[in-house]
Amino acid sequence: MFSQFSKRALGLTAVLAVATTLLLTACGSSGGNSGNTVDFSGTLTIWHDWSGAYLTAKQQIVQAYEHLHPNVHITLVNQTDDTKTENAVKAGTGPDIVQDPVDHVGTLAAAGVIVPIDQYESASALTSTYTQTASQSVQYGGHVYGIPEVTEILTIMYNKKLLTADQLPKTTDDMFTFEKTYSQQHPGSYGIVWDVNNVYDDAGFFYGYGAVLMDGNGNSTVSSQAGINADTYIAQYNSVLPKDINGQTATALFNEGKAAAIIDGPWAYTGYGQAIGADNLGFATLPVVNSTNTPVEPFVGGKAFMLTKNAKNPALAIDFMKFFTNASNQATMCASTGEIPSNIAAGQDPKITSNTAISAFVQQVKTGGVPFPNTPYMGEVWTPLQKALTAVWNGSETPQAALSQAQTTINQGVQQIKQAQGG
Amino acid sequence: MLRVSRMTIAAYLLPTFLVIALIDLYPIFYTFNLSFTNKSTFNTLDNSYHYIGVKNYQYVLQQTGGDFVQVLLITAFYVVVCVALFAFLGLITAMAVNHPRVRGKGFWGNALILPWTVPTFVTALIWKFLYNYNFGPLNQIIRLVTHNASAGILWLDQPTPAFIAVVIANIWMSYPFFMVISLGALQSIPADLLEAAQVDGASGWQRFRYIMLPLLRPALLPATILSAITTFQMFNTVYLITAGGPFTSGNINNPGATEFLMVYMFDRIQNNGNFFVNYGHIATVAVLVFIVLFALTMMSLRFTNLARETKR
């Protein structure tokens, strides 16, 4: 009896052991290639938007991968025109991987240029490796379409020689008062500058006031009372900022010390560091909107790797994407480029946590930010809203009139896309 | 007499015909064909687009209805103003350089043609800087003269100044063309003609009106028409300075004060910078613009022929 029991126990243990081993193996490989064996040979072509110092940092990872798999050759091509990508994919000469801003995901997916990668990386696996916003940004229509590379967000950067941290405004009302008093105290200089008529730069204010530029179903509330309040708030800066301010002017003012602070993103901070001295560059989160008690919420966007329809060796392409964005590679790369890592573990790496710039951008993501819409409908928002912002800034139209016209155009554009999609 | 068979002639011409057909005719017919389909980003890859009749034309003319006509009108106005001004300026400078008492004709001729030789995008960007509200030299001069630190013209953010700004920039880079043409024509007028008139007691104005101008006409008329066509199709200068703005309305179909035909078309083609492109609509706009330009070219050809006949 005893022996029988022990035999059974032994058998059970054996079964359990086998099952556990199988499970472990499955788990282990799901991080890599979902159980399929990857053919580590051939050429991977990547179309990307890296240049300058960025490119050098990224090339190192590419070389490390080639070193790891000597039979794999990776070709990097700087090519960012999505229309070209579509035509190349159609002709069968396109890249295996496109590295693109995440707001292109929806359009590329709807056009069929990129294909779902759920079989290689499930949504849950994605969320366990990459940050919430980064994971969300590569999902469209219930499918995973890419592996997030880096995250980007706008925040306030200031010149420590001109300001101390406690002088920075905490609310939007403070911000306007600060802008006025700073210009009065320093004639010819400005407080906080930014590209005021740029939709991307102003989106944070719209969301902070409670307006939604575009949701996944094609609904936009730019002309709501919230939107009107946001635009009214932005337009009042016309009396204190240079009247023809744009991105270039803002950058020039900040670089020359004629502006105490600027609203800009990770791509720009190295340049500012060079102009005013990296040690003089301070960071602060965007203010809270008084009327809604919600922070100004800029877009949390970024870049991602996507698998194109004509990828010859999808398993290899995915393996490369995961290698590129693994914790150690991301930590090293981002420490050098100043981008925010999309990988959770990389974000906790000392190389990243000790970097003031990246910590500041991460802080902004935590304080306030909305996922950058990756639906094709978002594309219909840019021009009408930018024209409305400009018309209101120049005093040609009231926010009510300008925004309601923009709204009409946006809705027409969404309708046009829905028709084109056959919906 | 050399005898060549028709077949030989055809064989020699064939390569040229093929190239023309491939490079010129095929894209034209392709675009025309495209304007009757619903091809867009979403159905390019699987070729699932199909013919939708004249729907695109309905859409473009209704949606953009008023603004296509409005764009044509402001473009025409821009052409008239620019061409009139640079014909006038070119003629004046040419006559000044050609004046018998002016020394160093070669130097002046070369110095004045300089703006024409600079790549237009460079000139455009320089002018854009000159017009800058806060830091532009033009406003700095205004502030210096008026002793008012807050004076200055918002050159590029108000409709009328922006229009004037692109006119000035265009004149700056185009009048040398007229000067060169006028100078050449002026130098071909025999000096004894003018002398004889002077001896007969003709005043300076009379010599200009009855001798110079009729002799300049055959050269100036085609130059005017050519300039009108290039100005009509002007893109880079205007786009780089104002990008078609300033926009005075949130209504996308309300064109900017300097949104001339080519800038307008470029914006439509780009579908405002979107990756989503409706090729059918673009082709439709292209066909419509082609019709307008074709009509204008035909008209100008008639004028040129008239000019030739006058010369005879």
Side-chain angles (χ1 to χ4, degrees):
Chain A
M1 180 125 173
F2 179 71
S3 71
Q4 216 176 15
F5 176 69
S6 103
K7 251 189 197 163
R8 256 198 206 161
L10 203 69
L12 203 68
T13 321
V15 168
L16 267 176
V18 169
T20 316
T21 320
L22 277 175
L23 204 70
L24 279 174
T25 324
C27 279
S29 59
S30 81
N33 50 51
S34 178
N36 306 326
T37 40
V38 182
D39 172 17
F40 289 105
S41 67
T43 303
L44 276 182
T45 305
I46 304 171
W47 285 9
H48 63 89
D49 72 349
W50 306 315
S51 57
Y54 270 30
L55 183 59
T56 320
K58 321 240 165 184
Q59 268 171 337
Q60 279 167 4
I61 305 180
V62 171
Q63 280 157 7
Y65 192 78
E66 285 178 326
H67 190 72
L68 201 65
H69 305 290
N71 292 330
V72 177
H73 178 70
I74 295 171
T75 314
L76 295 179
V77 182
N78 188 311
Q79 167 60 267
T80 54
D81 186 340
D82 284 342
T83 311
K84 281 192 185 153
T85 314
E86 175 166 37
N87 289 328
V89 167
K90 190 179 178 185
T93 56
D96 302 284
I97 299 172
V98 279
Q99 180 262 3
D100 233 1
V102 291
D103 58 311
H104 295 203
V105 169
T107 314
L108 286 169
V113 176
I114 55 171
V115 290
I117 57 166
D118 304 75
Q119 59 178 119
Y120 302 100
E121 182 83 343
S122 66
S124 58
L126 196 69
T127 323
S128 65
T129 316
Y130 304 98
T131 58
Q132 181 65 34
T133 26
S135 312
Q136 233 177 317
S137 69
V138 292
Q139 293 180 50
Y140 174 77
H143 291 287
V144 177
Y145 275 98
I147 301 288
E149 186 208 354
V150 287
T151 300
E152 292 168 338
I153 193 167
L154 294 171
T155 197
I156 296 180
M157 291 176 240
Y158 68 96
N159 189 333
K160 286 185 189 167
K161 280 190 288 187
L162 305 173
L163 285 184
T164 54
D166 56 302
Q167 278 177 287
L168 283 153
K170 297 281 175 285
T171 67
T172 45
D173 288 356
D174 284 353
M175 183 166 145
F176 187 63
T177 319
F178 168 79
E179 196 86 57
K180 269 195 296 193
T181 46
Y182 190 90
S183 297
Q184 279 160 8
Q185 286 162 1
H186 308 82
S189 286
Y190 304 93
I192 299 181
V193 291
W194 78 99
D195 193 357
V196 286
N197 291 325
N198 184 318
V199 175
Y200 180 82
D201 286 38
D202 286 343
F205 292 100
F206 276 85
Y207 281 95
Y209 272 92
V212 174
L213 297 197
M214 184 53 69
D215 72 7
N217 300 320
N219 300 315
S220 162
T221 58
V222 290
S223 66
S224 63
Q225 190 55 46
I228 293 168
N229 293 345
D231 197 6
T232 311
Y233 175 78
I234 294 161
Q236 67 180 338
Y237 282 86
N238 181 291
S239 60
V240 279
L241 286 180
K243 291 193 169 27
D244 58 352
I245 191 162
N246 54 33
Q248 284 172 339
T249 316
T251 301
L253 285 169
F254 187 70
N255 282 344
E256 287 167 22
K258 285 183 178 166
I262 189 164
I263 302 176
D264 216 331
W267 54 85
Y269 97 90
T270 318
Y272 297 138
Q274 281 162 0
I276 64 164
D279 295 339
N280 294 324
L281 197 62
F283 296 86
T285 48
L286 287 157
V288 172
V289 178
N290 291 76
S291 56
T292 58
N293 204 23
T294 310
V296 171
E297 294 174 310
F299 283 140
V300 188
K303 309 283 171 56
F305 292 107
M306 299 156 218
L307 186 71
T308 67
K309 195 187 167 200
N310 66 190
K312 290 172 285 291
N313 189 347
L316 176 68
I318 303 289
D319 188 75
F320 169 78
M321 295 180 196
K322 287 182 183 171
F323 176 82
F324 195 99
T325 54
N326 73 24
S328 75
N329 280 336
Q330 278 241 312
T332 315
M333 177 188 90
C334 290
S336 129
T337 58
E339 294 165 296
I340 311 173
S342 55
N343 189 307
I344 301 171
Q348 291 151 356
D349 191 288
K351 277 184 231 155
I352 300 301
T353 48
S354 65
N355 183 314
T356 34
I358 301 176
S359 315
F361 289 114
V362 170
Q363 188 55 41
Q364 178 64 52
V365 175
K366 285 181 189 155
T367 314
V370 288
F372 201 171
N374 64 9
T375 150
Y377 307 131
M378 183 61 204
E380 299 303 314
V381 176
W382 303 113
T383 307
L385 188 52
Q386 192 243 322
K387 288 192 175 178
L389 288 169
T390 312
V392 174
W393 177 265
N394 291 339
S396 313
E397 274 186 340
T398 62
Q400 283 87 342
L403 290 173
S404 85
Q405 284 163 344
Q407 183 80 69
T408 311
T409 315
I410 292 169
N411 295 347
Q412 281 169 358
V414 168
Q415 216 46 50
Q416 202 204 326
I417 289 196
K418 284 185 175 169
Q419 272 166 16
Q421 281 181 302
Chain B
M1 194 178 159
L2 193 65
R3 296 183 64 94
V4 185
S5 76
R6 282 173 184 274
M7 286 301 282
T8 319
I9 295 173
Y12 273 101
L13 287 178
L14 191 67
T16 318
F17 276 132
L18 277 179
V19 169
I20 290 176
L22 206 69
I23 293 176
D24 280 8
L25 298 177
Y26 174 70
I28 290 173
F29 286 110
Y30 181 78
T31 306
F32 196 70
N33 183 41
L34 209 56
S35 72
F36 296 102
T37 70
N38 69 345
K39 187 175 178 181
S40 79
T41 303
F42 297 135
N43 52 27
T44 297
L45 214 56
D46 54 3
N47 279 327
S48 63
Y49 56 92
H50 51 86
Y51 288 98
I52 52 167
V54 293
K55 270 191 190 156
N56 284 330
Y57 287 87
Q58 276 174 352
Y59 179 87
V60 170
L61 289 174
Q62 275 168 12
Q63 280 265 312
T64 62
D67 80 327
F68 191 67
V69 178
Q70 205 182 332
V71 164
L72 274 180
L73 287 176
I74 57 168
T75 312
F77 184 59
Y78 178 69
V79 171
V80 169
V81 171
C82 281
V83 173
L85 283 172
F86 49 69
F88 177 72
L89 262 175
L91 192 58
I92 295 269
T93 42
M95 284 171 71
V97 170
N98 196 44
H99 198 276
R101 266 184 252 160
V102 170
R103 286 167 174 276
K105 285 194 170 62
F107 168 77
W108 289 114
N110 286 334
L112 287 167
I113 205 170
L114 217 56
W116 196 43
T117 58
V118 178
T120 49
F121 75 93
V122 176
T123 315
L125 291 176
I126 291 172
W127 277 99
K128 189 180 182 181
F129 170 68
L130 293 178
Y131 290 130
N132 186 292
Y133 178 74
N134 290 75
F135 318 103
L138 287 179
N139 278 351
Q140 306 236 18
I141 292 169
I142 292 176
R143 279 170 207 145
L144 220 82
V145 171
T146 58
H147 295 287
N148 180 356
S150 56
I153 299 171
L154 256 178
W155 285 102
L156 302 179
D157 292 298
Q158 285 175 319
T160 315
F163 189 85
I164 295 171
V166 288
V167 168
I168 294 175
N170 187 19
I171 289 170
W172 164 258
M173 61 179 84
S174 305
Y175 87 90
F177 169 71
F178 255 90
M179 191 202 69
V180 172
I181 302 270
S182 312
L183 198 57
L186 279 174
Q187 280 165 350
S188 70
I189 298 177
D192 38 350
L193 255 181
L194 294 166
E195 268 170 41
Q198 203 168 7
V199 170
D200 288 343
S203 70
W205 167 248
Q206 282 171 327
R207 269 178 284 152
F208 172 74
R209 173 69 188 81
Y210 296 105
I211 298 174
M212 283 169 144
L213 214 53
L215 289 172
L216 284 175
R217 230 182 86 139
L220 288 190
L221 203 56
T224 313
I225 289 159
L226 276 177
S227 299
I229 293 175
T230 35
T231 310
F232 208 90
Q233 302 196 29
M234 172 152 287
F235 171 72
N236 54 356
T237 313
V238 176
Y239 196 80
L240 286 172
I241 296 178
T242 63
F247 298 103
T248 50
S249 165
N251 184 348
I252 197 169
N253 294 326
N254 201 337
T258 61
E259 196 167 3
F260 305 130
L261 194 61
M262 288 298 139
V263 177
Y264 169 86
M265 198 178 142
F266 179 76
D267 280 342
R268 299 283 140 164
I269 287 176
Q270 291 284 303
N271 186 28
N272 315 315
N274 281 352
F275 166 49
F276 169 73
V277 187
N278 193 322
Y279 297 104
H281 285 173
I282 294 168
T284 309
V285 174
V287 169
L288 289 173
V289 170
F290 167 75
I291 292 171
V292 170
L293 285 178
F294 186 73
L296 281 169
T297 314
M298 282 296 132
M299 264 161 64
S300 69
L301 276 177
R302 268 188 67 110
F303 279 121
T304 330
N305 287 338
L306 277 180
R308 263 194 221 126
E309 275 154 28
T310 358
K311 203 177 170 186
R312 269 179 220 147

